[in-house]
Amino acid sequence: MKSKTCVAGLLSLVAWVAHADQPLDGQWDMHFGNSGVQRYGFDLVAGSGDRARAIAIAPSGLIYVAGEVETSDGNGGTYRQAGLSRITPGGQLDTTFSGDGKIVSTPAALSLHNVFVEDLIVRADGKPIIAMAAAPPNNVLSYQTAICRYNVAGNLDTGFDGDGCAQPDPAFVVGGFNSPAAIAELPGQGVLVAGYASRILFNLVDTVGFVMRLTSSGAVDPSFGQGGVLTLWPPGTDEVYVTDLVHHPDGYAYAIGSTEQDVWIARFSDQGVLDAGFGASGYAHVSYADLQVQPGKDFASAIALDDAGRIYACGYTRFNSNIYQSIMSIARFTPNGALDPDFSGDGRILMPYVDVFPFSTVTDCKVDRSGRLVAGLHTGTTNPISGDFAAVRFKVDGSADETFNLAGQVRVGIDAGGAPGLGHETVAAIALQGPDIVIAGTASAVNGDGANDPTDFAVIRLRSDQLLRDGFEQ
Protein backbone atom coordinates (compact mmCIF):
# COMPACT_ATOMS: atom_id res chain seq x y z
CA MET A 1 0.00 0.00 0.00
CA LYS A 2 2.84 2.39 0.77
CA SER A 3 4.24 1.99 -2.76
CA LYS A 4 0.90 3.11 -4.19
CA THR A 5 1.02 6.23 -2.05
CA CYS A 6 4.57 7.02 -3.24
CA VAL A 7 3.68 6.46 -6.90
CA ALA A 8 0.64 8.72 -6.54
CA GLY A 9 2.87 11.40 -5.02
CA LEU A 10 5.38 11.15 -7.89
CA LEU A 11 2.64 11.40 -10.49
CA SER A 12 1.21 14.44 -8.70
CA LEU A 13 4.68 16.02 -8.61
CA VAL A 14 5.09 15.57 -12.37
CA ALA A 15 1.66 17.09 -12.97
CA TRP A 16 2.40 20.02 -10.71
CA VAL A 17 5.81 20.79 -12.24
CA ALA A 18 4.04 20.93 -15.59
CA HIS A 19 2.05 23.84 -14.14
CA ALA A 20 4.93 25.44 -12.27
CA ASP A 21 3.53 28.92 -12.79
CA GLN A 22 1.25 28.14 -9.81
CA PRO A 23 2.42 28.39 -6.20
CA LEU A 24 2.41 25.21 -4.16
CA ASP A 25 -0.43 25.53 -1.65
CA GLY A 26 -0.82 23.74 1.67
CA GLN A 27 2.63 24.46 3.09
CA TRP A 28 3.04 24.67 6.87
CA ASP A 29 3.72 28.34 7.61
CA MET A 30 6.73 28.31 9.91
CA HIS A 31 6.45 32.09 10.40
CA PHE A 32 3.08 31.71 12.12
CA GLY A 33 3.15 31.76 15.91
CA ASN A 34 6.31 30.25 17.36
CA SER A 35 8.11 28.11 14.79
CA GLY A 36 4.87 27.36 12.98
CA VAL A 37 2.46 26.78 15.86
CA GLN A 38 0.72 28.86 18.51
CA ARG A 39 0.30 26.42 21.41
CA TYR A 40 -0.97 27.68 24.75
CA GLY A 41 -3.01 26.86 27.82
CA PHE A 42 -5.01 29.06 30.13
CA ASP A 43 -3.19 27.41 33.04
CA LEU A 44 -5.87 28.01 35.68
CA VAL A 45 -5.08 24.57 37.12
CA ALA A 46 -1.66 22.90 37.12
CA GLY A 47 -1.53 20.20 34.43
CA SER A 48 -4.93 21.29 33.14
CA GLY A 49 -6.77 19.91 30.16
CA ASP A 50 -7.64 22.97 28.04
CA ARG A 51 -9.25 22.02 24.72
CA ALA A 52 -9.90 24.19 21.66
CA ARG A 53 -13.26 23.57 19.98
CA ALA A 54 -13.90 26.37 17.48
CA ILE A 55 -12.22 29.10 15.44
CA ALA A 56 -13.44 32.23 13.65
CA ILE A 57 -11.70 35.13 11.93
CA ALA A 58 -12.95 38.68 12.45
CA PRO A 59 -13.27 41.17 9.56
CA SER A 60 -10.14 42.82 10.98
CA GLY A 61 -8.15 39.62 10.43
CA LEU A 62 -7.87 38.83 14.13
CA ILE A 63 -8.25 35.12 14.92
CA TYR A 64 -10.53 33.98 17.75
CA VAL A 65 -10.32 30.49 19.23
CA ALA A 66 -12.76 29.20 21.85
CA GLY A 67 -12.83 26.07 23.93
CA GLU A 68 -13.04 24.56 27.38
CA VAL A 69 -10.74 25.62 30.20
CA GLU A 70 -10.24 23.50 33.30
CA THR A 71 -10.87 25.52 36.45
CA SER A 72 -10.66 24.84 40.19
CA ASP A 73 -14.00 24.64 41.99
CA GLY A 74 -12.38 25.69 45.27
CA ASN A 75 -13.07 22.31 46.89
CA GLY A 76 -10.30 20.20 45.43
CA GLY A 77 -12.15 19.45 42.20
CA THR A 78 -12.34 21.05 38.78
CA TYR A 79 -14.95 22.06 36.24
CA ARG A 80 -14.89 23.41 32.68
CA GLN A 81 -15.47 27.03 31.75
CA ALA A 82 -15.59 28.61 28.31
CA GLY A 83 -12.29 30.21 27.34
CA LEU A 84 -11.85 32.72 24.53
CA SER A 85 -8.51 33.70 23.01
CA ARG A 86 -7.44 36.14 20.33
CA ILE A 87 -4.48 35.76 18.01
CA THR A 88 -2.97 38.31 15.65
CA PRO A 89 -2.94 37.56 11.90
CA GLY A 90 0.73 36.63 12.33
CA GLY A 91 -0.04 34.01 14.94
CA GLN A 92 0.87 35.69 18.22
CA LEU A 93 -1.44 35.96 21.21
CA ASP A 94 -2.95 39.46 21.13
CA THR A 95 -1.87 41.20 24.34
CA THR A 96 -4.39 44.00 23.71
CA PHE A 97 -7.06 41.41 24.50
CA SER A 98 -7.30 41.00 28.28
CA GLY A 99 -3.57 41.57 28.68
CA ASP A 100 -2.43 38.12 27.53
CA GLY A 101 -4.78 37.27 24.65
CA LYS A 102 -6.94 34.94 26.78
CA ILE A 103 -10.06 35.45 28.83
CA VAL A 104 -12.47 33.36 30.90
CA SER A 105 -15.63 35.29 31.70
CA THR A 106 -18.72 33.65 33.15
CA PRO A 107 -21.96 35.34 34.28
CA ALA A 108 -23.35 34.53 37.71
CA ALA A 109 -26.13 32.43 36.16
CA LEU A 110 -23.54 29.95 34.86
CA SER A 111 -21.30 29.90 37.92
CA LEU A 112 -19.65 26.48 38.46
CA HIS A 113 -21.43 25.09 35.39
CA ASN A 114 -19.56 22.53 33.30
CA VAL A 115 -19.57 23.59 29.67
CA PHE A 116 -18.91 22.09 26.26
CA VAL A 117 -18.10 24.75 23.66
CA GLU A 118 -19.79 23.89 20.37
CA ASP A 119 -19.32 26.84 18.01
CA LEU A 120 -17.92 30.33 17.60
CA ILE A 121 -18.72 33.14 15.18
CA VAL A 122 -17.60 36.75 14.91
CA ARG A 123 -20.20 39.32 13.90
CA ALA A 124 -19.59 41.93 11.24
CA ASP A 125 -18.98 44.47 14.03
CA GLY A 126 -16.22 42.29 15.49
CA LYS A 127 -18.13 40.90 18.47
CA PRO A 128 -17.54 37.17 19.05
CA ILE A 129 -20.39 34.83 20.03
CA ILE A 130 -19.87 31.41 21.63
CA ALA A 131 -22.43 28.60 21.64
CA MET A 132 -22.06 26.13 24.49
CA ALA A 133 -23.89 23.46 26.44
CA ALA A 134 -23.83 24.19 30.17
CA ALA A 135 -24.76 21.89 33.07
CA PRO A 136 -25.16 22.87 36.73
CA PRO A 137 -22.78 21.24 39.22
CA ASN A 138 -25.51 19.16 40.86
CA ASN A 139 -26.75 17.68 37.57
CA VAL A 140 -23.88 17.21 35.16
CA LEU A 141 -26.03 15.41 32.57
CA SER A 142 -28.68 18.13 32.33
CA TYR A 143 -27.01 20.26 29.68
CA GLN A 144 -28.78 23.38 28.50
CA THR A 145 -28.10 25.75 25.61
CA ALA A 146 -26.17 28.92 26.39
CA ILE A 147 -25.23 31.59 23.84
CA CYS A 148 -22.74 34.21 25.06
CA ARG A 149 -21.78 37.42 23.26
CA TYR A 150 -18.60 39.35 23.98
CA ASN A 151 -17.45 42.85 23.26
CA VAL A 152 -14.34 43.35 21.14
CA ALA A 153 -12.42 44.06 24.37
CA GLY A 154 -13.29 40.55 25.63
CA ASN A 155 -15.82 41.32 28.36
CA LEU A 156 -19.34 39.95 28.19
CA ASP A 157 -21.76 42.17 26.29
CA THR A 158 -24.54 43.01 28.77
CA GLY A 159 -26.68 44.26 25.89
CA PHE A 160 -27.26 40.58 25.12
CA ASP A 161 -29.89 39.15 27.48
CA GLY A 162 -28.77 41.38 30.35
CA ASP A 163 -25.62 39.52 31.42
CA GLY A 164 -24.12 38.60 28.06
CA CYS A 165 -25.44 35.03 27.97
CA ALA A 166 -28.85 33.92 26.71
CA GLN A 167 -30.22 30.50 27.64
CA PRO A 168 -32.97 29.75 25.12
CA ASP A 169 -34.92 26.54 25.74
CA PRO A 170 -36.73 24.62 22.96
CA ALA A 171 -38.86 23.14 25.79
CA PHE A 172 -39.44 19.70 24.32
CA VAL A 173 -39.09 18.02 27.72
CA VAL A 174 -39.35 19.70 31.11
CA GLY A 175 -36.10 18.93 32.88
CA GLY A 176 -34.60 17.32 29.75
CA PHE A 177 -31.36 18.27 28.10
CA ASN A 178 -30.69 20.40 25.06
CA SER A 179 -27.44 21.36 23.41
CA PRO A 180 -26.50 23.77 20.64
CA ALA A 181 -24.38 22.48 17.79
CA ALA A 182 -23.86 25.57 15.65
CA ILE A 183 -24.76 29.24 15.28
CA ALA A 184 -24.95 31.63 12.34
CA GLU A 185 -25.26 35.39 12.11
CA LEU A 186 -28.33 36.85 10.43
CA PRO A 187 -28.88 40.21 8.76
CA GLY A 188 -29.92 42.68 11.44
CA GLN A 189 -27.56 41.09 13.99
CA GLY A 190 -29.85 38.24 14.93
CA VAL A 191 -28.50 34.72 15.54
CA LEU A 192 -29.65 31.32 14.37
CA VAL A 193 -29.05 28.50 16.86
CA ALA A 194 -29.24 24.85 15.80
CA GLY A 195 -28.90 21.86 18.09
CA TYR A 196 -30.61 18.79 19.50
CA ALA A 197 -32.70 18.00 22.55
CA SER A 198 -34.37 15.17 24.42
CA ARG A 199 -38.02 14.52 23.61
CA ILE A 200 -40.64 12.06 24.80
CA LEU A 201 -41.64 9.65 22.00
CA PHE A 202 -43.97 6.76 22.83
CA ASN A 203 -42.96 7.04 26.50
CA LEU A 204 -39.27 6.82 25.58
CA VAL A 205 -36.73 9.63 25.62
CA ASP A 206 -35.48 10.29 22.10
CA THR A 207 -33.45 13.11 20.55
CA VAL A 208 -34.71 15.57 17.99
CA GLY A 209 -33.10 18.50 16.17
CA PHE A 210 -34.12 22.12 16.62
CA VAL A 211 -33.44 25.60 15.29
CA MET A 212 -34.20 28.84 17.14
CA ARG A 213 -33.74 32.44 16.12
CA LEU A 214 -32.52 34.99 18.65
CA THR A 215 -32.93 38.71 18.28
CA SER A 216 -29.96 41.07 18.56
CA SER A 217 -30.79 41.42 22.28
CA GLY A 218 -30.73 37.65 22.88
CA ALA A 219 -34.48 36.98 23.10
CA VAL A 220 -36.12 34.06 21.30
CA ASP A 221 -38.00 35.37 18.26
CA PRO A 222 -41.55 33.91 18.54
CA SER A 223 -42.26 34.61 14.85
CA PHE A 224 -39.74 31.95 13.81
CA GLY A 225 -41.06 28.42 13.20
CA GLN A 226 -43.76 27.48 15.71
CA GLY A 227 -43.52 29.58 18.84
CA GLY A 228 -39.87 30.37 18.11
CA VAL A 229 -38.71 26.80 17.36
CA LEU A 230 -38.33 24.80 14.16
CA THR A 231 -38.24 21.06 14.85
CA LEU A 232 -35.88 18.99 12.68
CA TRP A 233 -37.00 15.39 12.47
CA PRO A 234 -36.52 13.68 9.10
CA PRO A 235 -39.41 11.28 8.44
CA GLY A 236 -38.73 7.65 9.31
CA THR A 237 -35.72 8.41 11.51
CA ASP A 238 -34.86 8.36 15.18
CA GLU A 239 -32.01 9.62 17.34
CA VAL A 240 -31.68 12.86 15.38
CA TYR A 241 -28.52 14.88 16.00
CA VAL A 242 -27.63 18.24 14.48
CA THR A 243 -23.95 19.10 13.96
CA ASP A 244 -23.69 22.25 11.81
CA LEU A 245 -25.57 25.18 10.34
CA VAL A 246 -24.98 27.70 7.56
CA HIS A 247 -27.04 30.70 6.44
CA HIS A 248 -27.21 31.87 2.84
CA PRO A 249 -27.97 35.46 1.81
CA ASP A 250 -30.81 34.22 -0.41
CA GLY A 251 -32.99 33.90 2.70
CA TYR A 252 -32.48 30.21 3.39
CA ALA A 253 -30.43 28.30 5.93
CA TYR A 254 -29.18 24.73 5.96
CA ALA A 255 -28.65 22.37 8.88
CA ILE A 256 -26.82 19.06 8.77
CA GLY A 257 -26.89 16.10 11.10
CA SER A 258 -27.07 12.34 11.35
CA THR A 259 -29.42 9.64 12.53
CA GLU A 260 -29.06 5.93 13.14
CA GLN A 261 -29.65 5.45 9.41
CA ASP A 262 -27.77 8.13 7.49
CA VAL A 263 -26.65 11.76 7.11
CA TRP A 264 -29.27 14.39 6.34
CA ILE A 265 -29.47 18.06 5.32
CA ALA A 266 -32.47 20.32 5.87
CA ARG A 267 -33.21 23.61 4.12
CA PHE A 268 -35.52 26.15 5.69
CA SER A 269 -36.51 29.77 5.25
CA ASP A 270 -35.64 32.73 7.45
CA GLN A 271 -39.16 32.37 8.83
CA GLY A 272 -38.41 28.84 10.08
CA VAL A 273 -40.36 26.88 7.45
CA LEU A 274 -38.91 23.79 5.80
CA ASP A 275 -38.51 24.15 2.02
CA ALA A 276 -40.69 21.38 0.56
CA GLY A 277 -38.93 21.78 -2.80
CA PHE A 278 -35.61 20.66 -1.36
CA GLY A 279 -34.92 16.93 -1.42
CA ALA A 280 -37.97 15.15 -0.05
CA SER A 281 -40.18 17.34 2.15
CA GLY A 282 -37.24 19.63 2.97
CA TYR A 283 -34.65 16.94 3.69
CA ALA A 284 -31.86 15.47 1.56
CA HIS A 285 -30.16 12.24 2.61
CA VAL A 286 -26.92 10.39 1.90
CA SER A 287 -25.64 7.00 3.00
CA TYR A 288 -22.26 5.39 2.30
CA ALA A 289 -23.32 1.87 3.28
CA ASP A 290 -22.90 0.47 -0.24
CA LEU A 291 -19.33 1.80 -0.41
CA GLN A 292 -18.18 0.34 2.90
CA VAL A 293 -16.02 -2.79 3.00
CA GLN A 294 -17.38 -3.48 6.50
CA PRO A 295 -20.50 -2.20 8.26
CA GLY A 296 -20.06 1.27 9.71
CA LYS A 297 -22.00 4.27 10.94
CA ASP A 298 -22.04 7.59 9.09
CA PHE A 299 -21.52 10.81 11.02
CA ALA A 300 -21.98 14.39 9.84
CA SER A 301 -19.48 17.03 10.96
CA ALA A 302 -19.92 20.15 8.82
CA ILE A 303 -21.75 21.74 5.93
CA ALA A 304 -20.48 24.18 3.30
CA LEU A 305 -21.99 26.01 0.32
CA ASP A 306 -20.35 27.13 -2.91
CA ASP A 307 -21.24 30.10 -5.11
CA ALA A 308 -23.28 27.86 -7.43
CA GLY A 309 -25.59 26.90 -4.55
CA ARG A 310 -24.23 23.37 -4.24
CA ILE A 311 -24.09 21.89 -0.76
CA TYR A 312 -21.25 19.84 0.72
CA ALA A 313 -21.85 17.37 3.53
CA CYS A 314 -18.60 16.56 5.32
CA GLY A 315 -18.04 13.90 7.94
CA TYR A 316 -16.69 10.42 8.52
CA THR A 317 -17.72 6.80 8.76
CA ARG A 318 -16.81 4.96 11.96
CA PHE A 319 -16.33 1.23 12.26
CA ASN A 320 -16.80 -1.06 15.28
CA SER A 321 -17.96 1.93 17.37
CA ASN A 322 -14.29 2.90 17.60
CA ILE A 323 -13.29 6.55 17.24
CA TYR A 324 -9.91 5.38 15.98
CA GLN A 325 -11.36 3.38 13.09
CA SER A 326 -12.79 5.94 10.69
CA ILE A 327 -12.52 7.22 7.12
CA MET A 328 -13.52 10.47 5.42
CA SER A 329 -17.01 10.76 3.93
CA ILE A 330 -17.94 13.73 1.75
CA ALA A 331 -20.99 14.29 -0.45
CA ARG A 332 -22.17 17.11 -2.69
CA PHE A 333 -25.78 17.96 -3.43
CA THR A 334 -27.28 20.07 -6.18
CA PRO A 335 -29.21 23.19 -5.10
CA ASN A 336 -32.45 21.18 -5.11
CA GLY A 337 -31.09 18.49 -2.79
CA ALA A 338 -30.09 15.69 -5.16
CA LEU A 339 -26.68 14.00 -5.06
CA ASP A 340 -24.51 15.70 -7.68
CA PRO A 341 -23.07 13.23 -10.25
CA ASP A 342 -20.57 15.87 -11.37
CA PHE A 343 -18.76 15.34 -8.06
CA SER A 344 -16.73 12.13 -7.99
CA GLY A 345 -19.15 10.31 -10.31
CA ASP A 346 -22.09 9.79 -7.95
CA GLY A 347 -21.79 12.74 -5.57
CA ARG A 348 -19.93 10.81 -2.83
CA ILE A 349 -16.40 10.23 -1.60
CA LEU A 350 -15.51 7.61 1.00
CA MET A 351 -11.77 7.24 1.55
CA PRO A 352 -9.01 7.27 4.17
CA TYR A 353 -6.49 10.09 4.37
CA VAL A 354 -3.93 7.45 3.38
CA ASP A 355 -4.58 3.75 3.50
CA VAL A 356 -1.92 3.04 6.13
CA PHE A 357 -3.60 5.19 8.82
CA PRO A 358 -6.52 3.61 10.69
CA PHE A 359 -8.41 6.85 11.38
CA SER A 360 -9.28 9.87 9.24
CA THR A 361 -11.85 11.92 11.15
CA VAL A 362 -13.15 15.01 9.32
CA THR A 363 -14.31 17.70 11.76
CA ASP A 364 -14.84 20.74 9.51
CA CYS A 365 -14.93 21.92 5.91
CA LYS A 366 -15.08 25.16 3.97
CA VAL A 367 -15.29 26.22 0.31
CA ASP A 368 -12.43 28.52 -0.66
CA ARG A 369 -12.63 31.55 -2.92
CA SER A 370 -11.75 29.39 -5.95
CA GLY A 371 -14.68 27.06 -5.28
CA ARG A 372 -12.55 24.17 -3.96
CA LEU A 373 -13.57 22.17 -0.91
CA VAL A 374 -11.12 22.17 2.00
CA ALA A 375 -11.64 19.70 4.83
CA GLY A 376 -9.84 19.63 8.18
CA LEU A 377 -9.29 16.34 9.94
CA HIS A 378 -7.04 14.43 12.31
CA THR A 379 -5.33 11.26 11.25
CA GLY A 380 -2.60 9.01 12.55
CA THR A 381 -1.66 5.77 14.26
CA THR A 382 -3.26 3.73 17.03
CA ASN A 383 -0.22 1.90 18.42
CA PRO A 384 0.53 4.23 20.07
CA ILE A 385 -2.40 6.62 19.63
CA SER A 386 -0.79 9.59 17.91
CA GLY A 387 -2.96 11.90 15.81
CA ASP A 388 -1.80 14.78 13.63
CA PHE A 389 -3.46 17.82 12.11
CA ALA A 390 -4.34 17.27 8.46
CA ALA A 391 -6.20 18.92 5.59
CA VAL A 392 -7.37 17.81 2.15
CA ARG A 393 -8.45 19.89 -0.83
CA PHE A 394 -10.59 18.75 -3.73
CA LYS A 395 -11.14 20.17 -7.17
CA VAL A 396 -14.69 21.06 -8.16
CA ASP A 397 -15.10 17.64 -9.80
CA GLY A 398 -14.14 15.83 -6.58
CA SER A 399 -10.63 14.79 -7.60
CA ALA A 400 -7.60 15.53 -5.44
CA ASP A 401 -6.12 18.99 -6.03
CA GLU A 402 -2.46 18.37 -6.87
CA THR A 403 -1.62 22.07 -6.39
CA PHE A 404 -2.25 21.46 -2.68
CA ASN A 405 0.98 19.93 -1.35
CA LEU A 406 1.36 17.85 -4.56
CA ALA A 407 -1.25 15.20 -3.68
CA GLY A 408 -4.23 17.22 -2.44
CA GLN A 409 -3.47 16.57 1.22
CA VAL A 410 -1.12 17.66 3.98
CA ARG A 411 -0.36 16.31 7.45
CA VAL A 412 1.32 18.32 10.22
CA GLY A 413 2.68 16.67 13.32
CA ILE A 414 3.07 19.24 16.08
CA ASP A 415 4.81 16.60 18.21
CA ALA A 416 4.29 18.52 21.45
CA GLY A 417 6.31 15.88 23.31
CA GLY A 418 9.49 17.18 21.70
CA ALA A 419 10.30 14.16 19.52
CA PRO A 420 8.91 12.89 16.20
CA GLY A 421 5.66 11.03 16.81
CA LEU A 422 5.51 11.98 20.49
CA GLY A 423 2.21 13.67 21.22
CA HIS A 424 -1.41 13.52 20.13
CA GLU A 425 -3.32 16.23 18.28
CA THR A 426 -6.96 16.52 17.27
CA VAL A 427 -8.44 19.06 14.86
CA ALA A 428 -11.47 21.00 16.07
CA ALA A 429 -12.17 23.42 13.22
CA ILE A 430 -10.70 25.36 10.32
CA ALA A 431 -11.04 28.93 9.04
CA LEU A 432 -10.02 30.48 5.74
CA GLN A 433 -7.75 33.53 5.84
CA GLY A 434 -7.76 34.65 2.22
CA PRO A 435 -5.95 31.85 0.36
CA ASP A 436 -4.59 30.40 3.61
CA ILE A 437 -6.06 27.79 5.98
CA VAL A 438 -5.94 28.23 9.74
CA ILE A 439 -6.42 25.04 11.75
CA ALA A 440 -7.30 24.99 15.45
CA GLY A 441 -7.34 22.02 17.76
CA THR A 442 -5.89 20.42 20.85
CA ALA A 443 -2.35 19.16 21.46
CA SER A 444 -0.98 16.85 24.12
CA ALA A 445 2.69 16.12 24.84
CA VAL A 446 1.98 12.43 25.35
CA ASN A 447 0.59 9.70 23.12
CA GLY A 448 -2.92 8.48 23.84
CA ASP A 449 -6.14 10.28 24.60
CA GLY A 450 -6.41 9.95 28.37
CA ALA A 451 -9.07 12.23 29.83
CA ASN A 452 -6.62 13.45 32.47
CA ASP A 453 -3.68 14.17 30.15
CA PRO A 454 -2.58 17.83 30.10
CA THR A 455 -3.67 19.47 26.84
CA ASP A 456 -3.35 22.90 25.22
CA PHE A 457 -4.96 24.92 22.47
CA ALA A 458 -2.94 24.67 19.23
CA VAL A 459 -3.25 26.72 16.04
CA ILE A 460 -1.30 26.43 12.77
CA ARG A 461 -1.58 27.96 9.29
CA LEU A 462 -1.17 26.44 5.84
CA ARG A 463 -0.34 28.79 2.99
CA SER A 464 1.01 29.08 -0.56
CA ASP A 465 4.76 28.93 -1.06
CA GLN A 466 5.94 30.84 -4.11
CA LEU A 467 9.58 30.07 -3.28
CA LEU A 468 9.01 26.34 -3.75
CA ARG A 469 7.56 27.02 -7.15
CA ASP A 470 10.47 29.25 -8.14
CA GLY A 471 12.96 26.65 -6.88
CA PHE A 472 11.54 23.97 -9.16
CA GLU A 473 11.57 26.34 -12.12
CA GLN A 474 15.33 26.99 -11.88
Side-chain angles (χ1 to χ4, degrees):
M1 293 297 186
K2 290 183 180 179
S3 62
K4 292 182 180 179
T5 302
C6 293
V7 170
L10 287 173
L11 293 175
S12 297
L13 175 59
V14 171
W16 177 74
V17 170
H19 297 86
D21 58 321
Q22 300 179 15
L24 183 61
D25 295 341
Q27 301 306 294
W28 186 7
D29 183 2
M30 302 307 292
H31 298 290
F32 183 85
N34 303 306
S35 300
V37 60
Q38 182 54 257
R39 176 177 163 231
Y40 55 97
F42 284 66
D43 302 323
L44 300 184
V45 176
S48 60
D50 300 338
R51 299 178 179 272
R53 301 294 188 186
I55 184 172
I57 298 180
S60 63
L62 292 168
I63 303 165
Y64 286 89
V65 182
E68 295 125 27
V69 176
E70 193 171 356
T71 309
S72 171
D73 64 5
N75 294 308
T78 63
Y79 68 105
R80 296 182 303 271
Q81 293 192 85
L84 180 64
S85 56
R86 193 166 76 192
I87 300 171
T88 67
Q92 299 299 324
L93 284 167
D94 184 359
T95 56
T96 68
F97 184 73
S98 188
D100 62 357
K102 301 173 285 187
I103 191 168
V104 175
S105 182
T106 303
L110 296 180
S111 178
L112 296 178
H113 280 53
N114 273 294
V115 307
F116 281 104
V117 170
E118 300 293 346
D119 201 8
L120 166 69
I121 62 173
V122 179
R123 296 196 326 178
D125 62 3
K127 292 184 176 182
I129 303 176
I130 298 178
M132 67 188 83
N138 59 346
N139 192 354
V140 296
L141 297 180
S142 182
Y143 283 96
Q144 304 294 316
T145 297
I147 311 297
C148 298
R149 191 172 75 194
Y150 299 78
N151 291 310
V152 176
N155 58 314
L156 284 164
D157 181 0
T158 56
F160 191 71
D161 205 49
D163 62 0
C165 291
Q167 298 181 65
D169 186 354
F172 291 124
V173 178
V174 175
F177 74 87
N178 61 81
S179 171
I183 50 177
E185 183 180 12
L186 294 171
Q189 300 183 343
V191 181
L192 275 182
V193 180
Y196 54 91
S198 56
R199 176 172 181 159
I200 300 297
L201 176 65
F202 303 124
N203 295 321
L204 298 174
V205 176
D206 207 342
T207 54
V208 65
F210 69 83
V211 183
M212 295 182 287
R213 186 171 67 192
L214 307 184
T215 67
S216 59
S217 62
V220 174
D221 185 347
S223 68
F224 180 82
Q226 295 186 353
V229 180
L230 168 64
T231 301
L232 297 177
W233 195 357
T237 63
D238 54 14
E239 293 292 328
V240 177
Y241 291 93
V242 177
T243 49
D244 200 13
L245 170 75
V246 64
H247 182 264
H248 193 274
D250 66 0
Y252 281 93
Y254 300 79
I256 187 172
S258 54
T259 69
E260 288 298 310
Q261 292 83 22
D262 59 16
V263 169
W264 56 269
I265 293 174
R267 184 166 73 186
F268 53 93
S269 70
D270 281 354
Q271 291 72 44
V273 179
L274 283 169
D275 180 4
F278 179 78
S281 302
Y283 296 96
H285 296 262
V286 61
S287 170
Y288 303 87
D290 61 311
L291 303 180
Q292 299 166 9
V293 296
Q294 60 176 311
K297 186 179 186 312
D298 301 327
F299 291 87
S301 297
I303 187 170
L305 307 177
D306 68 11
D307 289 342
R310 295 172 297 205
I311 309 115
Y312 288 92
C314 304
Y316 57 96
T317 296
R318 180 184 295 172
F319 303 102
N320 300 318
S321 300
N322 187 336
I323 62 173
Y324 294 111
Q325 292 184 21
S326 62
I327 56 177
M328 296 185 285
S329 59
I330 296 172
R332 190 173 77 192
F333 294 85
T334 64
N336 64 3
L339 282 169
D340 187 352
D342 293 332
F343 183 75
S344 192
D346 69 351
R348 300 176 299 167
I349 293 174
L350 184 70
M351 59 178 284
Y353 173 82
V354 293
D355 52 15
V356 295
F357 288 155
F359 65 94
S360 306
T361 305
V362 172
T363 54
D364 200 6
C365 66
K366 299 285 189 292
V367 174
D368 71 11
R369 60 188 186 182
S370 297
R372 300 166 299 200
L373 182 73
V374 179
L377 66 149
H378 41 265
T379 186
T381 62
T382 55
N383 188 22
I385 295 174
S386 179
D388 293 327
F389 283 11
V392 295
R393 192 169 78 187
F394 298 95
K395 295 179 182 178
V396 175
D397 64 2
S399 61
D401 183 358
E402 69 274 2
T403 67
F404 188 74
N405 197 42
L406 302 181
Q409 56 186 224
V410 62
R411 179 168 63 98
V412 173
I414 295 174
D415 298 331
L422 184 55
H424 178 53
E425 297 97 48
T426 57
V427 169
I430 65 172
L432 302 183
Q433 191 181 45
D436 303 330
I437 305 163
V438 185
I439 303 177
T442 299
S444 170
V446 298
N447 295 126
D449 63 350
N452 297 319
D453 291 339
T455 52
D456 293 325
F457 286 29
V459 186
I460 67 169
R461 181 167 64 194
L462 306 176
R463 69 183 322 173
S464 299
D465 196 325
Q466 192 80 10
L467 292 177
L468 278 178
R469 187 212 74 178
D470 294 341
F472 274 104
E473 285 184 325
Q474 293 176 357

